[in-house]
Amino acid sequence: MSHREVVVLSVGGVRFVTRVCTLQQFPESRLARMLSGDDREFKQANGEFFVDRDGTLFSYIMDFLRTLQVSLPPDFSDYQRLRREAEFYGLYPLADLLSREHLLKPRLEILEVRFSLREMQAFFRIFGSCSATVESLAEQIAVFTGQQAGQSWNSPFPSQKPLLPLPLERPSHHDIAFQCGTDCSAGDQYVARYVSIKPDSRKLINGTNVLGLLLDTLLKAGFRLLSTRTVSSEEKVECYSFERTQRPAGLTLTVRQAPGCSRVAQATRNQVQKGK
């Protein structure tokens, strides 16, 4: 790579090495004009451009120029200062994104699992504050049914007979309801319901086992168990409350050519994670 393609900047004493084309992502910005010597704010000495600004915040500026994405750590709080830096460098699309703090800050999700046992059947209902998370769980959970001869609560595995999938109950976008276990139909025949939760491939009929797998799945997904309480002692309804701090989907700039200007940047939301 030619030395003409590489630029060295010293921002507040922090040294950055990058390519010319990276600084030219937005030709109207001061960083692009700096390369042609049109901005006196940037002094050049010993082959390096010196900028008397915050070097720590400039690392986020460089990351943005390289990826056209705003990726900030969960504990980041200097939105106003970083926005001021973006305005100083003439990166107004970035400044506009930073003005939307509510899209960049991590969000707290609340999720509740209600579980009840009635004879040989178990009933589940999941409530979530984030509908996307509930949709994701609905895709993981599958219920199967079939008539089994002599099957009971103590038979954890289905027979060789084919099982039919059952749709989950969806009272709203924020909750799921399903059940497992056996129900006597006629003679020694039982209607059995099995539950499978991906990525686990087992089909479980015992409600306690399903509950254990469901709670383990939520913990692996980053949820934290807050409390366990009995909602109704008569109906044996237990409630498990969870919370999770969910990082927002990344914000991306789509840069395209447009007549009348060198480039136009439009802020769009990039759905990196489902469950936002």
Side-chain angles (χ1 to χ4, degrees):
M1 184 179 293
S2 169
H3 70 280
R4 295 182 179 180
E5 297 178 300
V6 176
V7 181
V8 180
L9 300 95
S10 178
V11 184
V14 183
R15 194 167 182 265
F16 296 88
V17 181
T18 187
R19 300 173 64 184
V20 169
C21 60
T22 300
L23 298 178
Q24 291 176 333
Q25 286 279 15
F26 298 88
E28 297 83 4
S29 71
R30 298 183 71 178
L31 288 171
R33 297 200 307 268
M34 170 193 74
L35 299 174
S36 59
D38 294 339
D39 197 316
R40 296 182 179 180
E41 186 72 32
F42 302 90
K43 306 295 183 181
Q44 191 172 16
N46 299 322
E48 297 183 9
F49 287 96
F50 174 76
V51 190
D52 191 16
R53 303 294 293 190
D54 191 307
T56 301
L57 292 178
F58 190 73
S59 63
Y60 298 115
I61 300 287
M62 284 303 308
D63 183 59
F64 167 75
L65 290 174
R66 288 166 176 153
T67 65
L68 295 182
Q69 291 186 350
V70 181
S71 302
L72 302 173
D75 58 348
F76 186 84
S77 60
D78 289 336
Y79 293 96
Q80 292 185 355
R81 291 182 60 213
L82 184 54
R83 181 183 179 186
R84 187 168 64 240
E85 294 301 295
E87 291 174 345
F88 169 81
Y89 293 110
L91 297 170
Y92 297 107
L94 173 59
D96 178 62
L97 284 181
L98 291 168
S99 67
R100 310 183 215 178
E101 291 185 31
H102 64 286
L103 296 180
L104 296 169
K105 289 181 177 178
R107 294 182 299 171
L108 183 66
E109 282 189 54
I110 303 297
L111 191 137
E112 183 179 276
V113 176
R114 293 198 176 193
F115 168 70
S116 63
L117 284 173
R118 301 174 194 170
E119 297 181 351
M120 298 172 66
Q121 298 181 76
F123 298 84
F124 296 83
R125 191 160 186 174
I126 303 173
F127 302 85
S129 62
C130 178
S131 61
T133 298
V134 176
E135 291 290 342
S136 179
L137 282 172
E139 294 178 0
Q140 289 181 259
I141 300 171
V143 180
F144 303 88
T145 186
Q147 282 197 341
Q148 310 293 332
Q151 288 286 97
S152 70
W153 182 267
N154 295 318
S155 301
F157 302 106
S159 68
Q160 298 301 316
K161 295 182 180 180
L163 299 176
L164 300 176
L166 280 178
L168 297 176
E169 296 180 38
R170 297 299 308 275
S172 74
H173 293 297
H174 289 272
D175 57 340
I176 307 168
F178 59 93
Q179 66 186 81
C180 66
T182 57
D183 184 22
C184 182
S185 58
D188 64 345
Q189 294 291 318
Y190 288 84
V191 175
R193 287 185 176 87
Y194 298 86
V195 173
S196 177
I197 305 177
K198 297 177 182 178
D200 196 296
S201 60
R202 293 174 296 170
K203 293 181 176 65
L204 303 177
I205 194 172
N206 186 295
T208 303
N209 293 340
V210 174
L211 176 64
L213 179 58
L214 176 59
L215 299 185
D216 184 60
T217 300
L218 293 174
L219 293 173
K220 289 180 178 178
F223 282 97
R224 182 171 68 93
L225 180 62
L226 292 178
S227 64
T228 303
R229 69 184 190 278
T230 301
V231 178
S232 172
S233 56
E234 295 181 358
E235 297 181 1
K236 298 181 180 179
V237 179
E238 299 175 356
C239 179
Y240 299 81
S241 298
F242 294 83
E243 73 171 13
R244 175 175 70 175
T245 301
Q246 186 75 345
R247 296 187 66 176
L251 288 178
T252 305
L253 280 184
T254 302
V255 181
R256 66 179 186 273
Q257 295 296 128
C261 63
S262 55
R263 283 187 178 184
V264 172
Q266 179 182 3
T268 59
R269 207 167 165 185
N270 179 23
Q271 298 293 341
V272 176
Q273 297 179 6
K274 211 168 180 181
K276 305 275 180 183

